[in-house]
Amino acid sequence: MKHGLLLITLFISSLAFSQTTGSISGKVTDKDYNDEPLPMVNIMLENTTKGTSSDFDGLFKLEAIEPGSYKVSFSFVGYKTELVPVEIVAGKVVEINVSMGPNAAALDEVVIQTSNKRESEVALLLDQKKAVEIKQSIGAEELSRKGVSDAAGAVSKISGVSKQEGSSNVYVRGLGDRYLNTTLNGLSLPSNDVSKKNIDLNLFSSDIIENVSISKAYSSKFYSDFAAGNVDISSKDYKGNGFFDLQVGSSVNTNAVGKTFKKSEGTGYFGFYNRYDHNPFAVVLSHQVDPVTATSPINTSIGASFGKSISFNNDSKLSLYGTVSFNNDYAYREGSNIDYTNVEKKAFDKAEEFEYGTTTTAMANLNYKIDNRNSLSYTSLFINSSSDNVGYFGIDGKGRNRDANLNTDKGFYQMNVQFNQNLIYVNQLVGKHSFEDFDLTWGVGYNKVFAHEPDRKRISIENYDFALDNDPTTTATYYNNVAFDNQRYFQTIDDDELNGRVNLAYTINDAVKLNVGYNGRTKERSFENIRYGYDFTNSSVPVSSVGNISQDLSLNNLMVNQQSGGLYQLNVVNTFPGLSNVNHPGLPENTYKGNLEVYAGYVNAEINATEKLLVVPGVRVEKINQKVAYDVINLGSKGNDGIASEETIALPSISLKYGLNEDQNLRFSASQTISLPEFKEVAPFVYESVSQRIGGNPDLLGTKVGATYVNVKDVSYSKILNLDLKYEWFMSKSELFSVGAFYKEINNPINQVVAFDATGTQRYFRTGDQARIMGFEAEIRKNILVDDNDETLLSGGLNFTYMHTEQDLYNSISGTYSVSFRNDKEELQGASPIIINADLNYSPTFGEYKPTANLVFSYFSDRIDALGSGQLGNVIEKGLPTFDFILKNKVTSHLDINLAVKNILNPTVQYIRETKQGNILVTSPNGKDVSDYKKGMQIGLELKYKF
């Protein structure tokens, strides 16, 4: 009873005190960003100790102020400090709204600060706290601190996200490329790779990234093809007086250093190939097979960025940000390459690969602020990425091939010289317009991709052990079972995409905001390839020199006719009318054209049901047209065909955010989404690497009239139920603790499956009725040590994800292709049960010298890379830990000297096939052409100067 009386007394006292004091509330906005909210502004009541800071919505509140006259100070680094006089009256709330602009005298010091709102860890935590949907972001500040050089590395630091070693594949909550979407500034991006739905995130260097966010819970503004999440890259822009930065760096890989590197003949240092205008047949006749020696394997990076703003008399402003960069990378891998399905077909216990990769990036961003309510932004992005691989397989003379002519147990050898180049053009125009009760945002984008694999050379040799025995009486021999055992291969892909979005936000009242919008995209892909095979005159043509294959395959040794002599003829599969398939140019061997059209309208409402509860119901109606027309050789007379589907779907969603208090949120989200098959999963073209074959399956878009099917449904998409529950505690402006649980139910899921036959071709099938995913996530970011100014000295972060997956499997599937399974249940392909990311950051200050040391760790556990069929076991990608050390040295206000040591643990990358005889090392189409290899440590130094 006494305690109750005490509480009542305290309540009455506080109520009485509030009637004798006043308060101030309001909003701070950024004059240069269309009066967008300005977070983290320092707000002080002069000559008092009372102060606060604005939140991510720019809102603030100062309470319990004695009546009287005061001045309120609004300050933010790089902005002109505003002093606002105010008269406080007892029991009243004074509203102050301030629009702040840059301080002209400090503009040169604010190159980063003025855009800090969307780059800093503090601002992005505020964004996460206030966000309507469940999402996480990583900004340029954190990318720089952790030494992350691209968007793929960025997202892999977010909880529940992992990156596949040896490739660009990113997995979110165990779901890979098929279940993800990638956007730039909210507009869809194309894929740069025939085998991918999403663009390679490695291509987006940190120079062009302001932040990267992953929305794991669905919102009706996203395309319906959503299961794991949407990755959105926000490009950098600039507001300020002008700056110019220059950076150069160099690094070495401990595996590559000291090696004599090889690369394709005809490719340049900057990753360009200049023979696309020539007919492939002419290239085969005029250019050599052998690779050439590359420059010393020292990695180089160079980049520059600049910005400038021009103000006009009517308060409008034109701002320009530009960046250009180039970096290359030398990698050396030594491991094995084994082709094992139901039996061992081909095996190289000793193999090596030399890879030279380049990325050239150029981006320009023009932002025109028309006035405080209207702005336009134009972004143009160009990326050239290339990968030059030279592989030697069976270098110890012990390579095996069960189809060899001379010796099946040893001496088989292959050389693969392969260059891939991707040219990507992205152009976007975005508008923002603010009215009294309406906010209108819109965007339109056009994307163009050229993805080339020009002049891949693959040579096969028997009795290679004779080339190593120093016996002049023995010699290696060209393997010649079929004309294409020794070949030149050419492949081109063209992608065109036009996309757009518009959203009208109408604030009905303080409690309800309505969003009505439209998304649309139309995408077309054209693919073709052609091969020329060296058909030797007999089955035992000797190799003059294994280091000079071009000597034997020169134009002088081409057999023009039966009487002319020579060592070989050139064969092609498809001929021009009236020409033979020997020693003549040919038509493409395989082609397909894919079309995707999506038109969607949506509506959602942000309803503040109570002061603490935000409810966001939404619905999206989407019309989807998909079509793939193909002409391929592996289906024989059925190879010239196509498949199409047309669907109209309605997808509901709802999300709830309950503010337990100012620092803690409880979130719930439920939605219905779908997953569409990718072009490469549908088109039945088979791509053959050194020991792997992978192709598509048209049955993924449905069935055809008159055909006989077993367990093939007439469906063109997978329907997905998504449930998310999350608790967030924002312990301070830079500290976070969160836990969450999620559940997904995928009907008619697609899996990558290895055929139980001699070829072992991997294809895509709807393997069962349903797959289920249950998971748990936890994350903590904590300041361990702070200095006297409450600035962080030592901080750490840890996120952990555990998942349980299970899917039903049919006993058998029969359609265009057939497959069977021995188990009726299995884990979901690509799902790691455990994912861990952790980092430790130390940031002391010594005058102008401000070093930052980071230890960064990531781990994913074993996961299924491809399902086995028949009596075959699964292909497993073994789990990997990675550990990096990054040292950022801000020596002066203008000079940074940075050191990075990456992949310190240097784990072994392995893919294994589960068999009754035990685990067997194999390679994967999702990885490199070798398995059981170490990447080596990467040690690099970077200098950055700010003018």
Side-chain angles (χ1 to χ4, degrees):
M1 183 68 179
K2 290 181 179 179
H3 294 299
L5 288 173
L6 179 60
L7 289 172
I8 292 171
T9 302
L10 289 172
F11 174 74
I12 294 173
S13 298
S14 64
L15 187 63
F17 181 71
S18 68
Q19 296 301 312
T20 62
T21 62
S23 60
I24 303 171
S25 67
K27 184 175 183 178
V28 188
T29 57
D30 188 336
K31 189 181 296 183
D32 263 6
Y33 274 88
N34 290 0
D35 280 329
E36 290 183 10
L38 186 61
M40 299 184 295
V41 173
N42 295 314
I43 303 164
M44 291 295 298
L45 199 64
E46 289 206 328
N47 301 318
T48 73
T49 58
K50 289 186 179 295
T52 186
S53 59
S54 58
D55 64 16
F56 197 80
D57 292 322
L59 303 175
F60 71 93
K61 191 169 187 179
L62 286 169
E63 297 181 296
I65 306 172
E66 294 288 341
S69 298
Y70 299 90
K71 286 186 178 180
V72 186
S73 169
F74 296 82
S75 62
F76 187 70
V77 178
Y79 284 73
K80 182 182 178 181
T81 298
E82 302 286 346
L83 284 175
V84 180
V86 62
E87 188 74 26
I88 299 298
V89 179
K92 301 292 185 181
V93 179
V94 180
E95 183 176 346
I96 301 176
N97 297 317
V98 176
S99 182
M100 298 181 68
N103 180 355
L107 281 175
D108 289 336
E109 301 299 322
V110 200
V111 172
I112 298 301
Q113 300 296 340
T114 56
S115 58
N116 201 33
K117 305 191 299 291
R118 296 185 292 170
E119 291 185 356
S120 76
E121 295 174 70
V122 174
L124 291 173
L125 269 184
L126 278 170
D127 184 30
Q128 181 177 332
K129 179 180 178 181
K130 295 291 183 179
V132 173
E133 70 268 16
I134 298 174
K135 74 173 187 177
Q136 290 174 270
S137 302
I138 183 169
E141 182 182 286
E142 189 174 354
L143 297 182
S144 175
R145 177 171 63 81
K146 293 181 177 179
V148 176
S149 60
D150 54 53
V155 297
S156 67
K157 306 305 178 189
I158 293 174
S159 62
V161 183
S162 63
K163 183 175 178 294
Q164 185 175 40
E165 189 53 57
S167 81
S168 62
N169 292 342
V170 170
Y171 293 88
V172 178
R173 291 176 168 176
L175 299 176
D177 179 68
R178 181 186 307 110
Y179 298 103
L180 293 173
N181 282 322
T182 307
T183 54
L184 177 69
N185 301 320
L187 291 166
S188 59
L189 283 169
S191 171
N192 63 295
D193 188 337
V194 65
S195 63
K196 300 289 189 301
K197 167 187 169 187
N198 291 276
I199 197 167
D200 184 351
L201 292 176
N202 287 326
L203 303 180
F204 291 87
S205 67
S206 56
D207 296 327
I208 67 175
I209 298 170
E210 191 160 80
N211 64 67
V212 182
S213 65
I214 291 186
S215 298
K216 298 179 184 178
Y218 181 70
S219 168
S220 56
K221 67 182 179 181
F222 296 125
Y223 286 102
S224 63
D225 188 4
F226 182 109
N230 187 88
V231 179
D232 185 55
I233 302 165
S234 294
S235 61
K236 283 187 179 180
D237 60 7
Y238 173 76
K239 302 286 189 302
N241 204 30
F243 82 99
F244 177 72
D245 287 352
L246 180 66
Q247 62 187 50
V248 294
S250 184
S251 65
V252 294
N253 181 283
T254 54
N255 279 6
V257 67
K259 295 288 190 301
T260 302
F261 250 71
K262 300 292 184 180
K263 63 189 291 289
S264 300
E265 183 270 336
T267 61
Y269 178 80
F270 292 99
F272 287 88
Y273 181 85
N274 297 314
R275 296 177 186 157
Y276 296 124
D277 291 336
H278 300 290
N279 186 282
F281 185 71
V283 174
V284 172
L285 292 178
S286 57
H287 293 281
Q288 68 181 51
V289 174
D290 297 297
V292 296
T293 301
T295 56
S296 298
I298 299 175
N299 305 330
T300 302
S301 64
I302 185 169
S305 55
F306 60 92
K308 180 70 177 176
S309 292
I310 304 170
S311 297
F312 303 102
N313 293 332
N314 58 358
D315 205 29
S316 63
K317 178 178 285 190
L318 179 66
S319 300
L320 168 67
Y321 173 79
T323 180
V324 60
S325 64
F326 168 78
N327 64 77
N328 59 16
D329 180 75
Y330 292 87
Y332 174 78
R333 297 178 287 272
E334 185 174 347
S336 64
N337 179 298
I338 297 174
D339 185 359
Y340 189 98
T341 51
N342 52 341
V343 295
E344 180 185 276
K345 183 176 181 181
K346 191 165 58 175
F348 305 108
D349 296 323
K350 291 274 288 183
E352 63 179 356
E353 274 191 311
F354 300 86
E355 182 175 7
Y356 175 68
T358 72
T359 303
T360 303
T361 305
M363 187 189 77
N365 181 280
L366 280 171
N367 189 298
Y368 180 50
K369 175 193 168 188
I370 302 170
D371 53 38
N372 287 338
R373 292 182 174 272
N374 300 278
S375 71
L376 296 173
S377 178
Y378 174 70
T379 301
S380 183
L381 173 67
F382 166 74
I383 300 174
N384 173 65
S385 71
S386 72
S387 174
D388 200 335
N389 272 283
V390 176
Y392 302 104
F393 305 89
I395 57 177
D396 59 351
K398 298 179 181 179
R400 304 181 295 277
N401 185 345
R402 66 193 298 264
D403 295 324
N405 294 318
L406 303 178
N407 192 332
T408 59
D409 296 325
K410 65 177 182 178
F412 196 74
Y413 168 93
Q414 285 190 296
M415 177 183 76
N416 190 71
V417 182
Q418 180 171 329
F419 177 76
N420 291 83
Q421 182 182 12
N422 303 299
L423 297 157
I424 303 157
Y425 302 85
V426 178
N427 291 277
Q428 299 180 341
L429 180 64
V430 175
K432 296 180 181 180
H433 311 279
S434 180
F435 306 96
E436 186 173 347
D437 295 321
F438 295 89
D439 288 310
L440 176 67
T441 59
W442 57 271
V444 61
Y446 174 69
N447 307 318
K448 180 71 176 178
V449 176
F450 299 98
H452 302 289
E453 186 173 313
D455 200 10
R456 182 189 73 196
K457 301 120 176 174
R458 187 169 296 160
I459 301 299
S460 305
I461 294 175
E462 295 190 84
N463 285 343
Y464 180 74
D465 50 321
F466 290 166
L468 306 176
D469 62 8
N470 295 319
D471 184 349
T473 65
T474 59
T475 182
T477 304
Y478 288 105
Y479 178 60
N480 194 36
N481 249 5
V482 297
F484 296 96
D485 287 324
N486 299 277
Q487 61 173 264
R488 308 278 282 269
Y489 176 93
F490 301 79
Q491 174 179 296
T492 61
I493 305 168
D494 286 354
D495 259 18
D496 283 277
E497 179 175 347
L498 181 65
N499 58 82
R501 62 177 173 85
V502 61
N503 186 86
L504 182 65
Y506 173 48
T507 302
I508 298 174
N509 52 46
D510 290 341
V512 181
K513 180 180 178 181
L514 190 67
N515 289 286
V516 180
Y518 167 85
N519 302 95
R521 59 188 301 214
T522 175
K523 177 179 179 180
E524 180 177 281
R525 168 176 294 173
S526 298
F527 167 89
E528 68 177 36
N529 81 311
I530 190 170
R531 287 183 301 169
Y532 288 94
Y534 293 96
D535 187 13
F536 288 96
T537 54
N538 61 67
S539 59
S540 56
V541 173
V543 179
S544 300
S545 170
V546 293
N548 189 3
I549 302 297
S550 300
Q551 176 181 340
D552 293 333
L553 301 182
S554 67
L555 192 58
N556 293 333
N557 288 325
L558 177 66
M559 187 174 67
V560 179
N561 54 59
Q562 297 298 324
Q563 290 75 37
S564 66
L567 295 179
Y568 68 92
Q569 294 178 321
L570 287 172
N571 280 25
V572 70
V573 174
N574 287 332
T575 64
F576 278 101
L579 297 179
S580 76
N581 70 328
V582 176
N583 293 340
H584 287 96
L587 294 172
E589 182 175 323
N590 298 280
T591 65
Y592 73 79
K593 179 169 285 188
N595 295 90
L596 173 66
E597 295 178 347
V598 179
Y599 309 103
Y602 65 87
V603 59
N604 66 55
E606 299 173 23
I607 304 170
N608 291 290
T610 68
E611 185 178 343
K612 292 187 174 183
L613 178 62
L614 174 67
V615 183
V616 186
V619 65
R620 181 183 184 89
V621 178
E622 192 166 275
K623 183 176 181 180
I624 305 165
N625 296 320
Q626 297 178 86
K627 181 180 180 181
V628 177
Y630 51 84
D631 187 355
V632 298
I633 64 171
N634 69 85
L635 281 175
S637 60
K638 298 180 180 180
N640 190 351
D641 205 345
I643 185 78
S645 70
E646 182 177 322
E647 307 284 352
T648 299
I649 53 176
L651 300 172
S653 63
I654 187 169
S655 67
L656 308 175
K657 184 178 80 169
Y658 184 76
L660 300 171
N661 54 44
E662 287 188 359
D663 300 319
Q664 299 178 59
N665 292 326
L666 188 63
R667 297 177 181 271
F668 172 76
S669 175
S671 62
Q672 191 83 60
T673 60
I674 65 171
S675 174
L676 299 172
E678 308 160 37
F679 290 144
K680 60 103 176 188
E681 294 176 336
V682 176
F685 155 71
V686 176
Y687 182 86
E688 297 185 8
S689 62
V690 174
S691 61
Q692 297 292 328
R693 290 149 299 280
I694 187 166
N697 181 359
D699 296 347
L700 299 185
L701 282 186
T703 60
K704 295 180 180 179
V705 176
T708 303
Y709 295 97
V710 176
N711 287 324
V712 178
K713 296 182 180 178
D714 191 21
V715 296
S716 61
Y717 59 86
S718 303
K719 199 169 186 179
I720 304 169
L721 171 67
N722 308 280
L723 300 174
D724 286 90
L725 181 65
K726 188 174 186 180
Y727 164 77
E728 301 171 325
W729 177 21
F730 297 88
M731 298 179 286
S732 74
K733 66 180 182 180
S734 58
E735 296 178 305
L736 167 70
F737 172 73
S738 69
V739 292
F742 56 90
Y743 174 79
K744 294 183 184 294
E745 194 172 275
I746 307 174
N747 294 299
N748 303 304
I750 295 173
N751 282 267
Q752 186 175 325
V753 182
V754 187
F756 181 60
D757 59 26
T759 68
T761 301
Q762 299 191 19
R763 293 191 185 276
Y764 301 89
F765 292 86
R766 297 193 185 276
T767 51
D769 289 325
Q770 193 178 91
R772 295 159 294 280
I773 303 168
M774 292 173 284
F776 167 82
E777 290 179 324
E779 179 178 14
I780 185 167
R781 300 186 199 178
K782 180 66 179 170
N783 296 330
I784 302 168
L785 292 175
V786 295
D787 61 17
D788 294 338
N789 297 319
D790 205 30
E791 295 295 325
T792 304
L793 289 175
L794 181 66
S795 63
L798 171 69
N799 62 68
F800 171 84
T801 303
Y802 173 77
M803 290 179 296
H804 172 76
T805 66
E806 182 182 79
Q807 63 176 320
D808 309 321
L809 296 179
Y810 296 128
N811 290 328
S812 63
I813 301 171
S814 180
T816 304
Y817 300 99
S818 299
V819 75
S820 64
F821 299 102
R822 58 180 179 178
N823 300 323
D824 58 2
K825 303 282 186 187
E826 188 56 89
E827 292 180 358
L828 191 67
Q829 177 215 339
S832 293
I834 296 174
I835 300 172
I836 301 172
N837 298 301
D839 66 275
L840 192 64
N841 170 260
Y842 180 57
S843 307
T845 300
F846 307 99
E848 278 197 329
Y849 177 49
K850 299 178 181 180
T852 300
N854 271 271
L855 296 173
V856 183
F857 175 82
S858 297
Y859 171 76
F860 66 85
S861 60
D862 295 0
R863 56 192 173 206
I864 296 175
D865 182 67
L867 291 178
S869 64
Q871 298 304 307
L872 293 179
N874 299 324
V875 177
I876 304 294
E877 180 187 4
K878 301 297 291 180
L880 278 180
T882 59
F883 185 53
D884 301 335
F885 171 71
I886 312 296
L887 180 62
K888 299 284 185 178
N889 284 289
K890 190 172 185 60
V891 181
T892 71
S893 59
H894 293 282
L895 178 64
D896 292 4
I897 302 177
N898 306 318
L899 173 70
V901 183
K902 298 186 177 183
N903 197 35
I904 295 172
L905 300 177
N906 199 18
T908 302
V909 179
Q910 289 184 328
Y911 292 86
I912 58 102
R913 179 183 294 288
E914 299 171 327
T915 73
K916 294 180 179 179
Q917 291 75 38
N919 294 335
I920 295 175
L921 285 166
V922 294
T923 54
S924 166
N926 298 319
K928 301 296 184 181
D929 277 332
V930 297
S931 182
D932 197 30
Y933 69 90
K934 293 180 180 291
K935 284 183 62 180
M937 284 194 299
Q938 194 96 343
I939 304 170
L941 187 68
E942 179 192 62
L943 277 73
K944 184 174 182 179
Y945 192 82
K946 185 177 296 182
F947 292 89

